[in-house]
Amino acid sequence: MTQHSRDTPQFYLTAPSPCPYLPGKEERKVFTHLVGDRAPALNDLLTHGGFRRSQSIAYRPACEACRACVSVRVVVEDFAPTRSMRRIEQRNADVSAEMRAAVPSSEQYSIFRGYLDERHRDGGMADMTVLDYAMMVEDSHVETRMVEYRLMSDAPATRRGVGPLIAVGLTDVLSDGLSMVYSFFDPEYEDRSLGTLMILDHIGRAKRMGLPYVYLGYWVRGSRKMDYKSRFLPQERLMSQGWVRAEM
């Protein structure tokens, strides 16, 4: 094998499959492997080009007649929470967040399993076992962290890091931001808007870390599943001419 072939990523195209976001449409993806010492730099480069990471794979949509999937990243320094976002933060003042090593646990999987069964029972991840979950967390050649969210109380037994786990975020640390790979929460606490809380926490966390962006993945206009991402403003959206700032 030549040096060139070892150092140059190889890209592949998937066969068409039903689109999970827009009914009646098909999707295709282009993907490559993220392995070895060059994986972190390659992941940074590809993320800037609209790719997402799943385990040791980087992928992006490559649909022939559709460009609905748009990569979005929140501009951390200029972000201003809406009134409803501030209410969500106040409602969850009793929730603590801790970033830790990407190590799977049975406690996490219990939340993950309940989340899939309640919210995505017909999705592609519905049959994931505890071993599949462990692979999702551990199969990474880039800097990956878990952010655990726990419900606290005044009781000594629920000090920081010990209260009941209610939400988890799997996050990559990039050179210019945090990339939210996957997040999930206990459906019992759905009324707390924990999905929004986790994004707000990541924005604050990125600001403290001196990172300019939080990458949210793909926003799909017309998809109710993805509409929430457009509320975190200002943000930049990856268009044909590059990253374009959006204020509304």
Side-chain angles (χ1 to χ4, degrees):
M1 183 180 295
T2 66
Q3 182 68 30
H4 180 270
S5 62
R6 284 201 303 267
D7 292 344
T8 304
Q10 303 297 305
F11 290 87
Y12 308 92
L13 188 64
T14 65
S17 61
C19 176
Y21 306 119
L22 300 176
K25 290 187 175 291
E26 289 187 329
E27 69 166 359
R28 300 188 77 177
K29 296 175 182 176
V30 61
F31 69 94
T32 190
H33 296 279
L34 293 170
V35 295
D37 295 339
R38 296 181 68 250
L42 180 59
N43 188 42
D44 265 31
L45 180 65
L46 292 178
T47 300
H48 297 160
F51 280 71
R52 294 286 287 165
R53 185 185 71 83
S54 177
Q55 297 180 210
S56 60
I57 296 291
Y59 68 91
R60 67 167 296 172
C63 308
E64 294 180 5
C66 181
R67 295 293 182 268
C69 292
V70 177
S71 293
V72 297
R73 62 187 186 187
V74 182
V75 182
V76 168
E77 188 62 35
D78 298 336
F79 172 76
T82 64
R83 183 178 302 176
S84 64
M85 290 175 183
R86 291 195 295 270
R87 286 198 296 266
I88 290 170
E89 289 181 313
Q90 293 168 0
R91 190 186 316 152
N92 290 285
D94 56 348
V95 174
S96 72
E98 182 177 0
M99 180 177 277
R100 54 177 57 213
V103 178
S105 69
S106 58
E107 189 181 24
Q108 294 167 8
Y109 180 71
S110 177
I111 302 296
F112 177 73
R113 187 69 263 164
Y115 176 78
L116 291 182
D117 291 344
E118 180 69 24
R119 302 286 294 263
H120 301 287
R121 67 185 65 180
D122 298 323
M125 303 173 71
D127 296 329
M128 286 182 66
T129 66
V130 65
L131 293 178
D132 294 328
Y133 174 75
M135 284 294 292
M136 182 179 81
V137 174
E138 294 180 326
D139 188 11
S140 170
H141 294 253
V142 304
E143 186 178 351
T144 302
R145 296 288 183 267
M146 305 292 289
V147 185
E148 292 188 340
Y149 299 83
R150 294 181 179 273
L151 185 62
M152 315 312 294
S153 76
D154 295 331
T158 57
R159 63 188 183 276
R160 175 176 288 274
V162 183
L165 185 68
I166 61 172
V168 179
L170 181 65
T171 302
D172 287 345
V173 182
L174 307 177
S175 62
D176 68 344
L178 297 178
S179 177
M180 299 184 70
V181 177
Y182 195 77
S183 57
F184 52 94
F185 56 84
D186 188 337
E188 181 180 343
Y189 298 95
E190 185 170 8
D191 60 345
R192 284 178 171 263
S193 301
L194 292 173
T196 295
L197 178 70
M198 285 190 276
I199 295 176
L200 293 172
D201 173 70
H202 276 71
I203 294 171
R205 194 173 295 276
K207 189 169 186 176
R208 294 191 296 273
M209 296 171 69
L211 299 172
Y213 301 111
V214 171
Y215 290 82
L216 300 182
Y218 300 118
W219 167 61
V220 183
R221 188 187 300 274
S223 169
R224 294 181 60 186
K225 291 181 182 179
M226 294 296 178
D227 188 57
Y228 70 92
K229 297 182 181 182
S230 65
R231 301 199 303 266
F232 295 87
L233 299 169
Q235 63 182 224
E236 293 180 359
R237 299 169 182 171
L238 185 57
M239 314 302 288
S240 58
Q241 64 270 42
W243 290 96
V244 177
R245 187 176 172 110
E247 304 282 352
M248 57 181 295

Coordinates of all heavy atoms in Angstrom, one line a residue, residues 55 102-105 109 128-139:
Q55 N -20.0 6.9 15.2 CA -19.0 6.0 15.5 C -17.7 6.4 14.7 O -17.3 7.5 14.8 CB -19.4 4.5 15.4 CG -20.6 4.2 16.3 CD -21.1 2.7 16.1 OE1 -22.2 2.4 16.3 NE2 -20.2 1.8 15.8
A102 N -15.9 9.6 27.7 CA -17.0 8.8 27.0 C -16.9 7.3 27.3 O -16.3 6.5 26.6 CB -16.8 9.0 25.5
V103 N -17.5 7.0 28.5 CA -17.6 5.7 29.0 C -19.1 5.3 29.2 O -19.8 6.0 29.9 CB -16.8 5.5 30.3 CG1 -16.9 4.1 30.8 CG2 -15.4 5.9 30.1
P104 N -19.5 4.2 28.5 CA -21.0 3.8 28.6 C -21.2 3.2 30.0 O -20.4 2.7 30.6 CB -21.1 2.8 27.5 CG -19.8 2.2 27.3 CD -18.8 3.3 27.6
S105 N -22.5 3.3 30.4 CA -22.9 2.8 31.7 C -24.3 2.2 31.6 O -25.1 2.6 30.7 CB -22.9 3.8 32.8 OG -23.9 4.8 32.6
Y109 N -27.7 3.5 29.5 CA -28.4 2.7 28.6 C -29.9 2.6 29.0 O -30.8 2.6 28.1 CB -27.8 1.3 28.5 CG -28.6 0.4 27.5 CD1 -28.5 0.7 26.2 CD2 -29.4 -0.6 28.0 CE1 -29.2 -0.1 25.3 CE2 -30.1 -1.4 27.1 CZ -30.0 -1.1 25.7 OH -30.7 -1.9 24.8
M128 N -31.4 -1.3 19.0 CA -30.0 -1.3 19.6 C -29.9 -1.9 21.0 O -30.7 -1.6 21.9 CB -29.5 0.2 19.7 CG -29.1 0.8 18.4 SD -28.5 2.5 18.5 CE -27.0 2.2 19.4
T129 N -29.0 -2.8 21.1 CA -28.8 -3.5 22.4 C -27.8 -2.7 23.2 O -27.2 -1.7 22.8 CB -28.2 -4.9 22.1 OG1 -26.9 -4.8 21.6 CG2 -29.1 -5.7 21.2
V130 N -27.5 -3.2 24.4 CA -26.6 -2.6 25.3 C -25.2 -2.6 24.7 O -24.4 -1.6 24.8 CB -26.6 -3.2 26.7 CG1 -26.1 -4.7 26.7 CG2 -25.7 -2.4 27.7
L131 N -24.9 -3.7 23.9 CA -23.6 -3.7 23.2 C -23.5 -2.7 22.1 O -22.5 -2.1 21.9 CB -23.3 -5.1 22.7 CG -23.1 -6.2 23.8 CD1 -22.9 -7.6 23.2 CD2 -21.9 -5.9 24.7
D132 N -24.6 -2.5 21.4 CA -24.7 -1.5 20.3 C -24.5 -0.1 20.9 O -23.8 0.7 20.3 CB -26.0 -1.6 19.6 CG -26.3 -2.9 18.8 OD1 -25.3 -3.4 18.4 OD2 -27.4 -3.3 18.8
Y133 N -25.1 0.1 22.1 CA -25.0 1.4 22.7 C -23.5 1.6 23.1 O -23.0 2.7 22.9 CB -25.9 1.5 23.9 CG -25.6 2.8 24.7 CD1 -26.1 4.0 24.3 CD2 -24.9 2.8 25.9 CE1 -25.9 5.2 25.0 CE2 -24.7 3.9 26.6 CZ -25.2 5.1 26.1 OH -24.9 6.3 26.8
A134 N -22.9 0.6 23.7 CA -21.5 0.7 24.1 C -20.6 1.1 22.9 O -19.7 1.9 23.0 CB -21.0 -0.5 24.7
M135 N -20.9 0.5 21.7 CA -20.1 0.8 20.5 C -20.4 2.2 20.1 O -19.4 2.9 19.6 CB -20.5 -0.2 19.4 CG -19.9 -1.6 19.6 SD -18.1 -1.6 19.4 CE -17.9 -1.1 17.7
M136 N -21.6 2.7 20.2 CA -21.9 4.1 19.8 C -21.1 5.1 20.6 O -20.6 6.1 20.1 CB -23.4 4.3 20.0 CG -23.8 5.7 19.5 SD -25.6 6.1 19.7 CE -25.7 6.5 21.5
V137 N -20.9 4.8 21.9 CA -20.1 5.7 22.7 C -18.6 5.5 22.6 O -17.9 6.5 22.4 CB -20.5 5.4 24.2 CG1 -19.6 6.2 25.2 CG2 -22.0 5.7 24.5
E138 N -18.1 4.3 22.5 CA -16.7 4.0 22.6 C -16.0 4.0 21.2 O -14.8 4.2 21.2 CB -16.5 2.7 23.3 CG -16.9 2.6 24.7 CD -16.6 1.3 25.4 OE1 -16.7 0.3 24.7 OE2 -16.3 1.3 26.6
D139 N -16.7 3.7 20.2 CA -16.1 3.6 18.8 C -15.8 5.0 18.3 O -16.5 5.4 17.3 CB -16.9 2.7 17.9 CG -16.2 2.4 16.6 OD1 -15.0 2.7 16.5 OD2 -16.9 1.9 15.7

